[in-house]
């Protein structure tokens, strides 16, 4: 779990995180047994990345933070 992820993704809509190995194992078991839910979350996350997090977008932010003009 990284709190910054919540700035970019909706939990259990675009992605799922774990906080311990036991939590990871439990979530793996759950999502392996719930294909539709797992596939929906994966598709939402993929769409979010393609729409909002391109390399061009990231480099623009990096250059802006570094105060470098292209």
């Amino acid at each position: 779990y990284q709190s910054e992820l919540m700035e970019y993704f909706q939990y259990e809509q675009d992605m799922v995180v774990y906080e311990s190995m036991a939590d990871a194992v439990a979530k793996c078991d759950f999502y392996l047994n719930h294909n539709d839910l797992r596939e929906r979350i994966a598709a939402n996350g993929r769409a979010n990345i393609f729409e909002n997090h391109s390399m061009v977008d990231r480099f623009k932010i990096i250059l802006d933070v570094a105060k470098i003009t292209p």
Side-chain angles (χ1 to χ4, degrees):
Y1 174 83
Q2 295 292 317
S3 61
E4 297 84 9
L5 289 172
M6 301 311 149
E7 295 175 27
Y8 305 102
F9 300 97
Q10 293 182 36
Y11 182 70
E12 293 185 339
Q13 296 298 315
D14 299 328
M15 58 91 179
V16 175
V17 298
Y18 62 90
E19 296 186 25
S20 68
M21 287 307 292
D23 187 31
V25 170
K27 286 180 178 170
C28 284
D29 183 53
F30 176 83
Y31 287 107
L32 286 172
N33 289 299
H34 293 87
N35 292 334
D36 292 343
L37 182 57
R38 181 184 72 239
E39 290 173 6
R40 181 175 53 82
I41 293 170
N44 288 345
R46 205 168 16 269
N48 180 319
I49 288 170
F50 288 141
E51 291 172 20
N52 302 305
H53 306 289
S54 72
M55 290 298 289
V56 171
D57 294 333
R58 296 300 117 211
F59 279 116
K60 285 179 182 177
I61 291 170
I62 290 168
L63 293 174
D64 186 48
V65 168
K67 298 187 185 339
I68 298 172
T69 54

